[in-house]
Amino acid sequence: MATGIEPSPQAGATGVHAASRAAIPARHLRTDRWWLAPACTAAGLLAFVVYSTWRAFANADYYHAPYVSPFYSPCLAENCHTMRGGPNWEIFGSWWGLSPALLILIFPLGFRLTCYYYRKAYYRGFWASPPACAVAEPHKKYTGETRFPLILQNIHRYFFYFAVLVALVLTYDTALAFRDEHYAWGHMGLGTLVFLANIVLIWAYTLSCHSCRHVVGGRLRHFSKHPVRYRLWGWVGKLNERHMLLAWCSLFSVGFADLYVYLLATGAFADPRFF
């Protein structure tokens, strides 16, 4: 009995229009606004890319005692602002004339760029691969992540270790935020709360990573023999369920923390002090 969706005899067609696939004339049968989610994702990611690129190359207004922008921490070049007690490690000498942010951002950027969720986000948002569930992608063939450059996505597990190191440095920066502008301890301003919120979200996103879940318990054969690691694996699994939400929240928080330091450094307003 004919169903109206018998295989199409089109010669040379590929993908969903290949001769072995059902002959559905329409590109998709969805009637909702399926394009809205990938469009919003692309807009959000593009906005962050533009902002972070501007701030990374600015090489200015990234320190206002006791706060240092997370985009510039740790500061690894000799041309960094002197930050008393801060993460100043002059590994790169006077020959480095570019922004010191370019030396450190490669690690959190690499971690997020290869993240499983962000891959889905920008594959759909920018490449339409696929644009949405049950919507055919416009590409004629699909090679996945088996060829250069996408095969480099497999180094995500290694970027995870660098992301942990960066999170540790940002934790140190957050501790330093409990000082005043004269470096006296025992003070807290609005910026301290901004840094606290940011580091909590940074750690939550980092630890919710699939690589972290694998490191904690992914290779265990018998959970009963490793009760502590099994408990940790369960906690990371709970975080992993919110990985997408944490990815966006931490992306916003790190950008907002940088913006807050920028506004203080440019004199837009004074940091409100609670004690």
Side-chain angles (χ1 to χ4, degrees):
M1 182 177 68
T3 62
I5 55 172
E6 286 75 18
S8 171
Q10 300 177 42
T14 58
V16 297
H17 301 295
S20 60
R21 303 295 291 270
I24 301 177
R27 242 187 109 217
H28 60 82
L29 301 178
R30 294 184 60 167
T31 58
D32 62 324
R33 291 188 231 180
W34 58 267
W35 48 267
L36 187 58
C40 290
T41 297
L45 292 177
L46 183 61
F48 182 81
V49 168
V50 172
Y51 173 79
S52 59
T53 301
W54 165 59
R55 289 294 294 135
F57 282 93
N59 194 17
D61 303 318
Y62 57 84
Y63 182 66
H64 183 84
Y67 310 121
V68 55
S69 164
F71 287 178
Y72 286 80
S73 183
C75 219
L76 303 178
E78 189 178 297
N79 62 351
C80 294
H81 280 293
T82 301
M83 297 177 282
R84 184 174 170 183
N88 282 88
W89 303 329
E90 298 179 0
I91 299 176
F92 293 81
S94 58
W95 59 270
W96 180 264
L98 301 177
S99 170
L102 302 179
L103 297 171
I104 191 62
L105 281 182
I106 184 62
F107 300 110
L109 175 63
F111 180 59
R112 289 183 183 264
L113 194 65
T114 59
C115 166
Y116 290 109
Y117 165 69
Y118 280 116
R119 291 188 218 178
K120 167 191 169 183
Y122 64 79
Y123 284 3
R124 286 188 173 186
F126 294 108
W127 297 343
S129 181
C133 292
V135 178
E137 59 180 288
H139 310 288
K140 293 184 177 181
K141 60 181 179 179
Y142 175 74
T143 58
E145 297 173 341
T146 60
R147 296 181 181 178
F148 183 83
L150 295 185
I151 195 173
L152 296 178
Q153 302 282 30
N154 293 320
I155 63 176
H156 176 65
R157 69 195 73 176
Y158 304 111
F159 272 118
F160 166 72
Y161 298 107
F162 288 107
V164 170
L165 293 177
V166 171
L168 288 172
V169 174
L170 296 184
T171 303
Y172 175 70
D173 294 342
T174 303
L176 296 181
F178 283 91
R179 304 179 300 175
D180 62 13
E181 62 276 12
H182 304 295
Y183 306 102
W185 287 93
H187 299 274
M188 186 177 76
L190 179 59
T192 310
L193 296 182
V194 172
F195 273 59
L196 278 172
N198 178 55
I199 195 57
V200 168
L201 290 171
I202 289 292
W203 273 116
Y205 166 67
T206 303
L207 297 180
S208 70
C209 170
H210 298 75
S211 295
C212 179
R213 193 165 184 256
H214 178 73
V215 168
V216 171
R219 300 180 65 180
L220 295 180
R221 292 181 179 272
H222 305 285
F223 279 128
S224 59
K225 295 182 180 179
H226 305 273
V228 175
R229 291 185 64 184
Y230 176 65
R231 181 67 62 87
L232 292 174
W233 182 79
W235 289 343
V236 173
K238 291 294 184 182
L239 282 176
N240 184 257
E241 295 175 4
R242 305 286 187 272
H243 194 52
M244 180 181 74
L245 176 63
L246 293 171
W248 280 105
C249 289
S250 60
L251 193 71
F252 173 80
S253 69
V254 72
F256 184 76
D258 171 82
L259 177 63
Y260 190 85
V261 175
Y262 168 76
L263 293 176
L264 292 179
T266 55
F269 64 91
D271 183 42
R273 289 286 170 174
F274 300 114
F275 58 83

